[in-house]
Amino acid sequence: VIHKPSFTMTTFLRTSAAVLAALVPFSLAGTPETCTNTQLSCHGSSTNTCCYNSPGGLFQQVQFWDTDPVTGPSTSWTIHGLWPNNCDGTYSESCDSKRAYTNITQLLKNAGDTSTLSYMQTYWLSDDESNEAFWDHEWETHGTCISTLKPSCYTGYTPGEEAVDFFVKTVSLFKTLPTYTWLANAGITPSSSKTYKLSAMNSALEDAFGAPVILLCQDTNVVYEIYYGFNVQGSLQDGTFEPATDTGSKTNCPSTVKYPPK
Protein backbone atom coordinates (compact mmCIF):
# COMPACT_ATOMS: atom_id res chain seq x y z
CA VAL A 1 0.00 0.00 0.00
CA ILE A 2 1.38 3.39 -0.97
CA HIS A 3 0.54 6.10 1.51
CA LYS A 4 0.11 9.62 0.15
CA PRO A 5 2.32 12.02 2.11
CA SER A 6 0.32 14.42 4.25
CA PHE A 7 2.80 17.21 3.53
CA THR A 8 2.17 17.72 -0.18
CA MET A 9 4.18 19.79 -2.62
CA THR A 10 1.42 22.41 -2.59
CA THR A 11 1.67 22.67 1.17
CA PHE A 12 5.43 22.93 0.91
CA LEU A 13 5.24 25.75 -1.61
CA ARG A 14 2.68 27.66 0.44
CA THR A 15 4.73 27.26 3.60
CA SER A 16 7.92 28.28 1.84
CA ALA A 17 6.25 31.39 0.44
CA ALA A 18 5.00 32.38 3.89
CA VAL A 19 8.45 31.87 5.41
CA LEU A 20 10.07 33.84 2.61
CA ALA A 21 7.62 36.70 3.03
CA ALA A 22 8.48 36.84 6.72
CA LEU A 23 12.25 36.79 6.18
CA VAL A 24 12.98 38.80 3.05
CA PRO A 25 13.41 42.54 3.67
CA PHE A 26 10.97 44.62 1.64
CA SER A 27 13.89 46.49 0.09
CA LEU A 28 14.43 43.26 -1.86
CA ALA A 29 10.71 42.73 -2.50
CA GLY A 30 8.16 44.43 -4.73
CA THR A 31 7.96 47.97 -5.99
CA PRO A 32 4.87 50.13 -6.49
CA GLU A 33 3.84 51.20 -9.96
CA THR A 34 5.74 54.13 -11.44
CA CYS A 35 3.23 56.93 -11.98
CA THR A 36 3.52 59.66 -14.60
CA ASN A 37 1.18 62.46 -15.72
CA THR A 38 -0.78 62.00 -12.50
CA GLN A 39 -3.93 63.84 -11.47
CA LEU A 40 -4.73 65.32 -8.08
CA SER A 41 -7.07 63.08 -6.12
CA CYS A 42 -10.66 64.33 -5.74
CA HIS A 43 -10.11 66.29 -8.96
CA GLY A 44 -11.15 64.64 -12.22
CA SER A 45 -10.97 60.88 -12.55
CA SER A 46 -8.72 58.08 -13.72
CA THR A 47 -9.13 54.39 -14.39
CA ASN A 48 -5.62 53.73 -13.07
CA THR A 49 -6.32 53.54 -9.35
CA CYS A 50 -2.72 52.47 -8.72
CA CYS A 51 -1.73 56.05 -9.54
CA TYR A 52 -4.93 57.90 -8.64
CA ASN A 53 -6.41 57.40 -5.19
CA SER A 54 -10.10 56.68 -5.69
CA PRO A 55 -12.65 56.73 -4.21
CA GLY A 56 -10.77 57.64 -1.03
CA GLY A 57 -8.89 60.62 -2.42
CA LEU A 58 -9.13 63.02 0.53
CA PHE A 59 -6.63 61.80 3.10
CA GLN A 60 -7.22 62.90 6.67
CA GLN A 61 -4.20 62.76 8.95
CA VAL A 62 -5.85 62.52 12.36
CA GLN A 63 -4.15 63.34 15.68
CA PHE A 64 -5.09 62.94 19.35
CA TRP A 65 -4.52 65.18 22.38
CA ASP A 66 -5.08 62.56 25.10
CA THR A 67 -5.25 63.81 28.67
CA ASP A 68 -7.37 61.17 30.45
CA PRO A 69 -5.54 58.87 30.39
CA VAL A 70 -2.43 60.66 29.17
CA THR A 71 -0.71 59.19 26.13
CA GLY A 72 2.44 60.41 24.45
CA PRO A 73 4.83 63.27 25.25
CA SER A 74 3.50 66.32 27.09
CA THR A 75 4.60 68.60 24.23
CA SER A 76 3.21 66.66 21.31
CA TRP A 77 -0.07 65.43 19.92
CA THR A 78 -0.11 61.77 18.89
CA ILE A 79 -1.18 59.84 15.80
CA HIS A 80 -4.67 58.49 15.40
CA GLY A 81 -4.38 57.43 11.78
CA LEU A 82 -4.55 58.22 8.08
CA TRP A 83 -8.06 57.90 6.68
CA PRO A 84 -9.06 57.84 3.00
CA ASN A 85 -12.20 59.98 2.84
CA ASN A 86 -14.37 59.72 -0.30
CA CYS A 87 -13.91 63.46 -0.98
CA ASP A 88 -17.30 64.24 0.59
CA GLY A 89 -17.04 63.28 4.26
CA THR A 90 -17.97 59.60 3.79
CA TYR A 91 -15.66 56.65 4.23
CA SER A 92 -15.22 53.10 3.07
CA GLU A 93 -14.00 50.84 5.85
CA SER A 94 -12.48 47.35 6.24
CA CYS A 95 -12.19 46.79 2.51
CA ASP A 96 -10.16 43.56 2.39
CA SER A 97 -10.42 41.03 5.22
CA LYS A 98 -7.73 38.88 3.58
CA ARG A 99 -5.21 41.63 4.32
CA ALA A 100 -6.32 42.38 7.88
CA TYR A 101 -2.82 41.86 9.22
CA THR A 102 -2.34 41.35 12.95
CA ASN A 103 1.45 41.54 13.03
CA ILE A 104 2.31 45.15 12.19
CA THR A 105 5.29 45.18 14.54
CA GLN A 106 6.77 42.13 12.85
CA LEU A 107 6.07 43.46 9.36
CA LEU A 108 8.00 46.63 10.15
CA LYS A 109 10.86 44.65 11.67
CA ASN A 110 10.98 42.34 8.65
CA ALA A 111 11.17 45.40 6.43
CA GLY A 112 14.13 46.68 8.43
CA ASP A 113 12.07 49.75 9.34
CA THR A 114 12.78 49.78 13.06
CA SER A 115 13.05 53.58 13.08
CA THR A 116 9.39 53.89 12.06
CA LEU A 117 8.42 51.29 14.65
CA SER A 118 10.36 53.10 17.38
CA TYR A 119 8.67 56.38 16.47
CA MET A 120 5.25 54.74 16.58
CA GLN A 121 6.00 53.38 20.05
CA THR A 122 6.34 56.99 21.22
CA TYR A 123 3.84 58.88 19.06
CA TRP A 124 1.20 56.34 17.93
CA LEU A 125 -0.31 55.11 21.17
CA SER A 126 -3.65 53.75 22.30
CA ASP A 127 -5.39 54.88 25.46
CA ASP A 128 -7.62 51.80 25.83
CA GLU A 129 -5.97 48.77 24.17
CA SER A 130 -2.52 47.52 23.18
CA ASN A 131 -0.65 49.61 20.64
CA GLU A 132 -0.44 46.58 18.36
CA ALA A 133 -4.22 46.15 18.42
CA PHE A 134 -4.62 49.86 17.67
CA TRP A 135 -2.25 49.67 14.68
CA ASP A 136 -3.94 46.51 13.41
CA HIS A 137 -7.29 48.29 13.58
CA GLU A 138 -6.09 51.38 11.74
CA TRP A 139 -4.61 49.27 8.96
CA GLU A 140 -7.61 46.97 8.58
CA THR A 141 -10.22 49.74 8.84
CA HIS A 142 -8.54 52.41 6.74
CA GLY A 143 -5.36 51.15 5.09
CA THR A 144 -7.05 48.32 3.21
CA CYS A 145 -9.33 50.88 1.52
CA ILE A 146 -6.51 52.83 -0.15
CA SER A 147 -6.58 51.97 -3.84
CA THR A 148 -2.90 52.62 -4.55
CA LEU A 149 -1.93 50.10 -1.86
CA LYS A 150 -3.64 47.14 -3.49
CA PRO A 151 -1.30 44.18 -4.11
CA SER A 152 -1.94 44.47 -7.86
CA CYS A 153 -0.25 47.89 -7.75
CA TYR A 154 3.12 46.26 -6.93
CA THR A 155 5.58 44.45 -9.13
CA GLY A 156 7.00 41.43 -7.31
CA TYR A 157 4.55 41.90 -4.46
CA THR A 158 5.36 40.47 -1.03
CA PRO A 159 2.40 40.17 1.39
CA GLY A 160 2.44 42.92 3.97
CA GLU A 161 4.67 45.42 2.21
CA GLU A 162 1.72 47.68 1.43
CA ALA A 163 0.98 47.92 5.16
CA VAL A 164 4.57 48.96 5.77
CA ASP A 165 4.14 51.70 3.16
CA PHE A 166 0.97 52.84 4.95
CA PHE A 167 2.65 53.21 8.33
CA VAL A 168 5.79 54.81 6.92
CA LYS A 169 3.71 57.41 5.08
CA THR A 170 1.46 58.11 8.08
CA VAL A 171 4.46 58.71 10.32
CA SER A 172 6.14 60.83 7.65
CA LEU A 173 3.06 63.08 7.34
CA PHE A 174 2.70 63.37 11.11
CA LYS A 175 6.26 64.68 11.38
CA THR A 176 5.30 67.59 9.10
CA LEU A 177 2.31 68.53 11.29
CA PRO A 178 3.61 69.73 14.69
CA THR A 179 0.25 70.77 16.10
CA TYR A 180 1.57 71.53 19.59
CA THR A 181 4.34 73.75 18.25
CA TRP A 182 2.11 75.59 15.80
CA LEU A 183 -0.35 76.41 18.58
CA ALA A 184 2.42 77.37 21.00
CA ASN A 185 3.91 79.72 18.41
CA ALA A 186 0.57 81.57 18.48
CA GLY A 187 0.58 81.76 22.28
CA ILE A 188 -1.85 78.86 22.68
CA THR A 189 -0.49 76.37 25.19
CA PRO A 190 -2.21 73.76 27.39
CA SER A 191 -3.68 75.21 30.56
CA SER A 192 -5.78 74.04 33.48
CA SER A 193 -7.35 77.48 33.89
CA LYS A 194 -7.37 79.29 30.54
CA THR A 195 -9.87 78.94 27.73
CA TYR A 196 -9.28 79.76 24.07
CA LYS A 197 -11.34 80.91 21.15
CA LEU A 198 -11.81 78.05 18.71
CA SER A 199 -11.38 80.58 15.90
CA ALA A 200 -7.94 81.53 17.25
CA MET A 201 -6.81 77.90 17.29
CA ASN A 202 -8.17 77.35 13.81
CA SER A 203 -6.44 80.44 12.46
CA ALA A 204 -3.07 79.52 13.97
CA LEU A 205 -3.21 76.01 12.54
CA GLU A 206 -4.57 77.04 9.14
CA ASP A 207 -1.85 79.67 8.73
CA ALA A 208 0.84 77.09 9.47
CA PHE A 209 -0.70 74.20 7.53
CA GLY A 210 -1.99 76.01 4.46
CA ALA A 211 -5.62 74.83 4.57
CA PRO A 212 -8.50 74.78 7.09
CA VAL A 213 -8.39 72.11 9.79
CA ILE A 214 -11.10 70.44 11.85
CA LEU A 215 -10.79 70.43 15.65
CA LEU A 216 -13.01 68.07 17.64
CA CYS A 217 -14.04 68.18 21.30
CA GLN A 218 -15.05 65.73 24.00
CA ASP A 219 -16.90 66.53 27.23
CA THR A 220 -18.55 69.34 25.25
CA ASN A 221 -15.64 71.78 25.10
CA VAL A 222 -12.32 69.96 25.62
CA VAL A 223 -10.19 69.83 22.47
CA TYR A 224 -8.88 66.32 21.90
CA GLU A 225 -8.60 65.60 18.16
CA ILE A 226 -7.71 67.27 14.85
CA TYR A 227 -8.17 66.44 11.16
CA TYR A 228 -5.68 67.65 8.55
CA GLY A 229 -6.82 67.11 4.96
CA PHE A 230 -4.69 66.28 1.91
CA ASN A 231 -5.24 65.53 -1.75
CA VAL A 232 -2.54 63.45 -3.42
CA GLN A 233 -0.86 63.88 -6.80
CA GLY A 234 -0.08 60.24 -7.61
CA SER A 235 0.07 57.24 -5.30
CA LEU A 236 0.18 57.20 -1.52
CA GLN A 237 3.63 55.62 -1.70
CA ASP A 238 5.36 58.13 -3.97
CA GLY A 239 2.88 60.93 -4.61
CA THR A 240 2.83 64.54 -3.48
CA PHE A 241 0.49 65.39 -0.61
CA GLU A 242 -1.13 68.83 -0.92
CA PRO A 243 -3.06 70.50 1.94
CA ALA A 244 -6.81 70.47 1.24
CA THR A 245 -10.09 71.43 2.87
CA ASP A 246 -11.76 68.65 4.87
CA THR A 247 -14.88 68.65 2.72
CA GLY A 248 -17.85 67.04 4.47
CA SER A 249 -16.34 67.12 7.97
CA LYS A 250 -17.19 69.65 10.66
CA THR A 251 -16.30 70.48 14.23
CA ASN A 252 -18.42 69.66 17.25
CA CYS A 253 -16.65 72.25 19.44
CA PRO A 254 -18.25 75.42 20.84
CA SER A 255 -16.78 78.86 20.16
CA THR A 256 -14.72 78.78 23.39
CA VAL A 257 -12.74 75.66 24.30
CA LYS A 258 -10.43 74.15 26.86
CA TYR A 259 -6.97 72.81 25.97
CA PRO A 260 -5.85 71.03 29.16
CA PRO A 261 -2.28 69.91 29.85
CA LYS A 262 -1.21 66.28 29.81
Side-chain angles (χ1 to χ4, degrees):
V1 178
I2 299 177
H3 295 280
K4 183 178 180 180
S6 59
F7 192 77
T8 65
M9 182 57 70
T10 298
T11 302
F12 172 77
L13 291 174
R14 288 176 177 170
T15 303
S16 298
V19 171
L20 185 63
L23 295 178
V24 176
F26 288 126
S27 59
L28 303 178
T31 55
E33 182 170 333
T34 300
C35 300
T36 58
N37 300 318
T38 55
Q39 299 182 58
L40 187 64
S41 61
C42 298
H43 296 71
S45 63
S46 174
T47 58
N48 183 3
T49 55
C50 289
C51 291
Y52 179 78
N53 286 283
S54 179
L58 173 60
F59 285 90
Q60 292 175 309
Q61 205 288 314
V62 187
Q63 300 180 10
F64 276 138
W65 180 254
D66 282 326
T67 59
D68 185 21
V70 171
T71 60
S74 62
T75 57
S76 178
W77 291 52
T78 56
I79 302 171
H80 187 167
L82 184 64
W83 303 348
N85 179 310
N86 295 329
C87 305
D88 60 4
T90 65
Y91 300 86
S92 298
E93 295 186 341
S94 303
C95 296
D96 187 351
S97 61
K98 294 179 181 178
R99 294 187 294 131
Y101 305 125
T102 57
N103 58 339
I104 302 304
T105 295
Q106 193 60 49
L107 288 176
L108 288 163
K109 287 181 177 179
N110 292 345
D113 215 326
T114 54
S115 61
T116 295
L117 177 60
S118 177
Y119 195 88
M120 289 165 58
Q121 290 168 339
T122 301
Y123 294 98
W124 197 335
L125 308 173
S126 173
D127 65 356
D128 62 359
E129 60 185 342
S130 72
N131 294 333
E132 181 69 42
F134 185 25
W135 302 338
D136 294 346
H137 169 80
E138 288 301 307
W139 163 253
E140 177 187 2
T141 305
H142 303 289
T144 60
C145 296
I146 298 172
S147 69
T148 63
L149 291 181
K150 289 182 179 179
S152 58
C153 295
Y154 289 79
T155 300
Y157 170 74
T158 298
E161 66 182 299
E162 77 279 29
V164 171
D165 284 341
F166 171 78
F167 286 98
V168 168
K169 178 58 66 175
T170 304
V171 165
S172 175
L173 283 176
F174 175 78
K175 289 179 178 179
T176 71
L177 303 168
T179 305
Y180 183 94
T181 299
W182 284 346
L183 289 172
N185 288 344
I188 301 171
T189 55
S191 173
S192 298
S193 56
K194 291 182 181 179
T195 59
Y196 295 100
K197 292 294 186 182
L198 180 66
S199 59
M201 297 185 76
N202 281 332
S203 293
L205 294 168
E206 180 176 345
D207 288 347
F209 176 54
V213 302
I214 303 292
L215 285 163
L216 298 176
C217 289
Q218 62 183 355
D219 299 329
T220 305
N221 65 343
V222 178
V223 170
Y224 86 107
E225 194 168 31
I226 185 170
Y227 292 3
Y228 291 97
F230 292 92
N231 292 144
V232 186
Q233 191 93 35
S235 67
L236 174 137
Q237 300 93 312
D238 300 318
T240 301
F241 279 68
E242 299 186 6
T245 299
D246 282 284
T247 303
S249 299
K250 61 182 181 179
T251 186
N252 66 340
C253 298
S255 59
T256 301
V257 298
K258 296 178 179 179
Y259 179 30
K262 290 187 179 182

PDB file of all heavy atoms in Angstrom, residues 23-47:
ATOM      1  N   LEU A  23      10.807  36.627   6.017  1.00  0.00           N
ATOM      2  CA  LEU A  23      12.245  36.795   6.181  1.00  0.00           C
ATOM      3  C   LEU A  23      12.871  37.812   5.245  1.00  0.00           C
ATOM      4  O   LEU A  23      13.827  38.483   5.597  1.00  0.00           O
ATOM      5  CB  LEU A  23      12.947  35.443   5.983  1.00  0.00           C
ATOM      6  CG  LEU A  23      12.631  34.356   7.015  1.00  0.00           C
ATOM      7  CD1 LEU A  23      13.354  33.075   6.645  1.00  0.00           C
ATOM      8  CD2 LEU A  23      13.023  34.803   8.406  1.00  0.00           C
ATOM      9  N   VAL A  24      12.348  37.933   4.039  1.00  0.00           N
ATOM     10  CA  VAL A  24      12.978  38.797   3.049  1.00  0.00           C
ATOM     11  C   VAL A  24      12.668  40.254   3.328  1.00  0.00           C
ATOM     12  O   VAL A  24      11.504  40.622   3.423  1.00  0.00           O
ATOM     13  CB  VAL A  24      12.492  38.433   1.625  1.00  0.00           C
ATOM     14  CG1 VAL A  24      13.087  39.404   0.601  1.00  0.00           C
ATOM     15  CG2 VAL A  24      12.889  37.006   1.276  1.00  0.00           C
ATOM     16  N   PRO A  25      13.671  41.114   3.467  1.00  0.00           N
ATOM     17  CA  PRO A  25      13.406  42.537   3.667  1.00  0.00           C
ATOM     18  C   PRO A  25      12.665  43.104   2.474  1.00  0.00           C
ATOM     19  O   PRO A  25      12.896  42.722   1.332  1.00  0.00           O
ATOM     20  CB  PRO A  25      14.823  43.142   3.784  1.00  0.00           C
ATOM     21  CG  PRO A  25      15.704  41.994   4.153  1.00  0.00           C
ATOM     22  CD  PRO A  25      15.103  40.792   3.488  1.00  0.00           C
ATOM     23  N   PHE A  26      11.768  44.069   2.724  1.00  0.00           N
ATOM     24  CA  PHE A  26      10.974  44.615   1.641  1.00  0.00           C
ATOM     25  C   PHE A  26      11.817  45.392   0.655  1.00  0.00           C
ATOM     26  O   PHE A  26      11.397  45.659  -0.450  1.00  0.00           O
ATOM     27  CB  PHE A  26       9.840  45.481   2.192  1.00  0.00           C
ATOM     28  CG  PHE A  26       8.756  44.672   2.829  1.00  0.00           C
ATOM     29  CD1 PHE A  26       8.350  44.939   4.119  1.00  0.00           C
ATOM     30  CD2 PHE A  26       8.170  43.636   2.147  1.00  0.00           C
ATOM     31  CE1 PHE A  26       7.346  44.183   4.709  1.00  0.00           C
ATOM     32  CE2 PHE A  26       7.165  42.874   2.737  1.00  0.00           C
ATOM     33  CZ  PHE A  26       6.760  43.150   4.023  1.00  0.00           C
ATOM     34  N   SER A  27      13.032  45.805   1.041  1.00  0.00           N
ATOM     35  CA  SER A  27      13.891  46.486   0.093  1.00  0.00           C
ATOM     36  C   SER A  27      14.265  45.559  -1.046  1.00  0.00           C
ATOM     37  O   SER A  27      14.677  46.000  -2.106  1.00  0.00           O
ATOM     38  CB  SER A  27      15.163  46.979   0.799  1.00  0.00           C
ATOM     39  OG  SER A  27      15.865  45.896   1.375  1.00  0.00           O
ATOM     40  N   LEU A  28      14.135  44.243  -0.826  1.00  0.00           N
ATOM     41  CA  LEU A  28      14.429  43.261  -1.861  1.00  0.00           C
ATOM     42  C   LEU A  28      13.145  42.709  -2.467  1.00  0.00           C
ATOM     43  O   LEU A  28      13.192  41.775  -3.252  1.00  0.00           O
ATOM     44  CB  LEU A  28      15.252  42.101  -1.266  1.00  0.00           C
ATOM     45  CG  LEU A  28      16.574  42.494  -0.592  1.00  0.00           C
ATOM     46  CD1 LEU A  28      17.235  41.252  -0.010  1.00  0.00           C
ATOM     47  CD2 LEU A  28      17.499  43.171  -1.578  1.00  0.00           C
ATOM     48  N   ALA A  29      12.002  43.262  -2.060  1.00  0.00           N
ATOM     49  CA  ALA A  29      10.715  42.733  -2.498  1.00  0.00           C
ATOM     50  C   ALA A  29      10.148  43.601  -3.614  1.00  0.00           C
ATOM     51  O   ALA A  29      10.858  44.122  -4.460  1.00  0.00           O
ATOM     52  CB  ALA A  29       9.776  42.647  -1.310  1.00  0.00           C
ATOM     53  N   GLY A  30       8.814  43.765  -3.615  1.00  0.00           N
ATOM     54  CA  GLY A  30       8.157  44.432  -4.726  1.00  0.00           C
ATOM     55  C   GLY A  30       8.332  45.938  -4.734  1.00  0.00           C
ATOM     56  O   GLY A  30       8.802  46.537  -3.779  1.00  0.00           O
ATOM     57  N   THR A  31       7.927  46.523  -5.849  1.00  0.00           N
ATOM     58  CA  THR A  31       7.964  47.967  -5.988  1.00  0.00           C
ATOM     59  C   THR A  31       6.613  48.449  -6.498  1.00  0.00           C
ATOM     60  O   THR A  31       5.979  47.793  -7.323  1.00  0.00           O
ATOM     61  CB  THR A  31       9.051  48.411  -6.979  1.00  0.00           C
ATOM     62  OG1 THR A  31       8.851  47.735  -8.234  1.00  0.00           O
ATOM     63  CG2 THR A  31      10.427  48.076  -6.457  1.00  0.00           C
ATOM     64  N   PRO A  32       6.147  49.603  -6.014  1.00  0.00           N
ATOM     65  CA  PRO A  32       4.871  50.131  -6.491  1.00  0.00           C
ATOM     66  C   PRO A  32       4.993  50.618  -7.926  1.00  0.00           C
ATOM     67  O   PRO A  32       6.095  50.873  -8.426  1.00  0.00           O
ATOM     68  CB  PRO A  32       4.586  51.290  -5.527  1.00  0.00           C
ATOM     69  CG  PRO A  32       5.926  51.685  -5.003  1.00  0.00           C
ATOM     70  CD  PRO A  32       6.741  50.431  -4.965  1.00  0.00           C
ATOM     71  N   GLU A  33       3.863  50.750  -8.579  1.00  0.00           N
ATOM     72  CA  GLU A  33       3.841  51.199  -9.960  1.00  0.00           C
ATOM     73  C   GLU A  33       4.438  52.599 -10.089  1.00  0.00           C
ATOM     74  O   GLU A  33       4.216  53.459  -9.243  1.00  0.00           O
ATOM     75  CB  GLU A  33       2.399  51.196 -10.480  1.00  0.00           C
ATOM     76  CG  GLU A  33       2.271  51.609 -11.939  1.00  0.00           C
ATOM     77  CD  GLU A  33       0.873  51.357 -12.494  1.00  0.00           C
ATOM     78  OE1 GLU A  33       0.187  50.448 -11.980  1.00  0.00           O
ATOM     79  OE2 GLU A  33       0.484  52.068 -13.440  1.00  0.00           O
ATOM     80  N   THR A  34       5.208  52.803 -11.152  1.00  0.00           N
ATOM     81  CA  THR A  34       5.737  54.131 -11.444  1.00  0.00           C
ATOM     82  C   THR A  34       4.644  54.964 -12.105  1.00  0.00           C
ATOM     83  O   THR A  34       4.067  54.565 -13.108  1.00  0.00           O
ATOM     84  CB  THR A  34       6.952  54.049 -12.375  1.00  0.00           C
ATOM     85  OG1 THR A  34       7.981  53.275 -11.742  1.00  0.00           O
ATOM     86  CG2 THR A  34       7.486  55.435 -12.697  1.00  0.00           C
ATOM     87  N   CYS A  35       4.349  56.115 -11.514  1.00  0.00           N
ATOM     88  CA  CYS A  35       3.227  56.932 -11.979  1.00  0.00           C
ATOM     89  C   CYS A  35       3.733  58.194 -12.680  1.00  0.00           C
ATOM     90  O   CYS A  35       4.594  58.897 -12.157  1.00  0.00           O
ATOM     91  CB  CYS A  35       2.338  57.320 -10.805  1.00  0.00           C
ATOM     92  SG  CYS A  35       1.621  55.913  -9.916  1.00  0.00           S
ATOM     93  N   THR A  36       3.182  58.465 -13.853  1.00  0.00           N
ATOM     94  CA  THR A  36       3.519  59.664 -14.601  1.00  0.00           C
ATOM     95  C   THR A  36       2.235  60.368 -15.028  1.00  0.00           C
ATOM     96  O   THR A  36       1.173  59.747 -15.118  1.00  0.00           O
ATOM     97  CB  THR A  36       4.349  59.330 -15.848  1.00  0.00           C
ATOM     98  OG1 THR A  36       3.618  58.419 -16.680  1.00  0.00           O
ATOM     99  CG2 THR A  36       5.679  58.686 -15.461  1.00  0.00           C
ATOM    100  N   ASN A  37       2.339  61.668 -15.286  1.00  0.00           N
ATOM    101  CA  ASN A  37       1.177  62.463 -15.716  1.00  0.00           C
ATOM    102  C   ASN A  37      -0.016  62.248 -14.779  1.00  0.00           C
ATOM    103  O   ASN A  37      -1.143  62.001 -15.223  1.00  0.00           O
ATOM    104  CB  ASN A  37       0.774  62.119 -17.152  1.00  0.00           C
ATOM    105  CG  ASN A  37       1.900  62.386 -18.141  1.00  0.00           C
ATOM    106  OD1 ASN A  37       2.578  63.411 -18.045  1.00  0.00           O
ATOM    107  ND2 ASN A  37       2.098  61.467 -19.076  1.00  0.00           N
ATOM    108  N   THR A  38       0.251  62.307 -13.488  1.00  0.00           N
ATOM    109  CA  THR A  38      -0.780  62.001 -12.495  1.00  0.00           C
ATOM    110  C   THR A  38      -1.735  63.167 -12.283  1.00  0.00           C
ATOM    111  O   THR A  38      -1.402  64.324 -12.524  1.00  0.00           O
ATOM    112  CB  THR A  38      -0.129  61.641 -11.150  1.00  0.00           C
ATOM    113  OG1 THR A  38       0.741  62.702 -10.751  1.00  0.00           O
ATOM    114  CG2 THR A  38       0.661  60.347 -11.271  1.00  0.00           C
ATOM    115  N   GLN A  39      -2.938  62.833 -11.828  1.00  0.00           N
ATOM    116  CA  GLN A  39      -3.932  63.835 -11.473  1.00  0.00           C
ATOM    117  C   GLN A  39      -4.017  63.967  -9.949  1.00  0.00           C
ATOM    118  O   GLN A  39      -3.639  63.049  -9.216  1.00  0.00           O
ATOM    119  CB  GLN A  39      -5.305  63.429 -12.001  1.00  0.00           C
ATOM    120  CG  GLN A  39      -5.403  63.293 -13.510  1.00  0.00           C
ATOM    121  CD  GLN A  39      -6.810  62.937 -13.933  1.00  0.00           C
ATOM    122  OE1 GLN A  39      -7.763  63.657 -13.642  1.00  0.00           O
ATOM    123  NE2 GLN A  39      -6.966  61.805 -14.597  1.00  0.00           N
ATOM    124  N   LEU A  40      -4.529  65.088  -9.509  1.00  0.00           N
ATOM    125  CA  LEU A  40      -4.729  65.319  -8.085  1.00  0.00           C
ATOM    126  C   LEU A  40      -6.003  64.612  -7.647  1.00  0.00           C
ATOM    127  O   LEU A  40      -7.053  64.766  -8.274  1.00  0.00           O
ATOM    128  CB  LEU A  40      -4.835  66.818  -7.814  1.00  0.00           C
ATOM    129  CG  LEU A  40      -4.874  67.262  -6.352  1.00  0.00           C
ATOM    130  CD1 LEU A  40      -3.570  66.916  -5.638  1.00  0.00           C
ATOM    131  CD2 LEU A  40      -5.131  68.769  -6.271  1.00  0.00           C
ATOM    132  N   SER A  41      -5.899  63.825  -6.592  1.00  0.00           N
ATOM    133  CA  SER A  41      -7.070  63.085  -6.119  1.00  0.00           C
ATOM    134  C   SER A  41      -8.205  64.036  -5.766  1.00  0.00           C
ATOM    135  O   SER A  41      -7.989  65.183  -5.357  1.00  0.00           O
ATOM    136  CB  SER A  41      -6.703  62.226  -4.908  1.00  0.00           C
ATOM    137  OG  SER A  41      -6.242  63.014  -3.826  1.00  0.00           O
ATOM    138  N   CYS A  42      -9.426  63.551  -5.928  1.00  0.00           N
ATOM    139  CA  CYS A  42     -10.660  64.333  -5.736  1.00  0.00           C
ATOM    140  C   CYS A  42     -10.849  65.391  -6.815  1.00  0.00           C
ATOM    141  O   CYS A  42     -11.745  66.222  -6.724  1.00  0.00           O
ATOM    142  CB  CYS A  42     -10.722  64.996  -4.362  1.00  0.00           C
ATOM    143  SG  CYS A  42     -10.729  63.840  -2.974  1.00  0.00           S
ATOM    144  N   HIS A  43     -10.005  65.363  -7.833  1.00  0.00           N
ATOM    145  CA  HIS A  43     -10.114  66.285  -8.964  1.00  0.00           C
ATOM    146  C   HIS A  43     -10.058  65.453 -10.246  1.00  0.00           C
ATOM    147  O   HIS A  43      -9.056  64.803 -10.519  1.00  0.00           O
ATOM    148  CB  HIS A  43      -8.977  67.300  -8.967  1.00  0.00           C
ATOM    149  CG  HIS A  43      -8.977  68.217  -7.783  1.00  0.00           C
ATOM    150  ND1 HIS A  43      -8.651  67.781  -6.509  1.00  0.00           N
ATOM    151  CD2 HIS A  43      -9.263  69.536  -7.665  1.00  0.00           C
ATOM    152  CE1 HIS A  43      -8.734  68.800  -5.668  1.00  0.00           C
ATOM    153  NE2 HIS A  43      -9.106  69.872  -6.345  1.00  0.00           N
ATOM    154  N   GLY A  44     -11.134  65.457 -11.020  1.00  0.00           N
ATOM    155  CA  GLY A  44     -11.152  64.645 -12.219  1.00  0.00           C
ATOM    156  C   GLY A  44     -11.345  63.184 -11.892  1.00  0.00           C
ATOM    157  O   GLY A  44     -11.890  62.814 -10.848  1.00  0.00           O
ATOM    158  N   SER A  45     -10.838  62.321 -12.757  1.00  0.00           N
ATOM    159  CA  SER A  45     -10.973  60.883 -12.549  1.00  0.00           C
ATOM    160  C   SER A  45      -9.895  60.155 -13.348  1.00  0.00           C
ATOM    161  O   SER A  45      -9.278  60.716 -14.249  1.00  0.00           O
ATOM    162  CB  SER A  45     -12.361  60.399 -12.990  1.00  0.00           C
ATOM    163  OG  SER A  45     -12.538  60.619 -14.380  1.00  0.00           O
ATOM    164  N   SER A  46      -9.682  58.907 -12.996  1.00  0.00           N
ATOM    165  CA  SER A  46      -8.718  58.079 -13.717  1.00  0.00           C
ATOM    166  C   SER A  46      -9.079  56.627 -13.502  1.00  0.00           C
ATOM    167  O   SER A  46      -9.540  56.242 -12.430  1.00  0.00           O
ATOM    168  CB  SER A  46      -7.296  58.351 -13.214  1.00  0.00           C
ATOM    169  OG  SER A  46      -6.368  57.459 -13.818  1.00  0.00           O
ATOM    170  N   THR A  47      -8.876  55.832 -14.521  1.00  0.00           N
ATOM    171  CA  THR A  47      -9.131  54.394 -14.387  1.00  0.00           C
ATOM    172  C   THR A  47      -7.950  53.681 -13.748  1.00  0.00           C
ATOM    173  O   THR A  47      -8.080  52.538 -13.320  1.00  0.00           O
ATOM    174  CB  THR A  47      -9.420  53.772 -15.763  1.00  0.00           C
ATOM    175  OG1 THR A  47      -8.308  54.023 -16.635  1.00  0.00           O
ATOM    176  CG2 THR A  47     -10.689  54.362 -16.371  1.00  0.00           C
TER     177      THR A  47
END
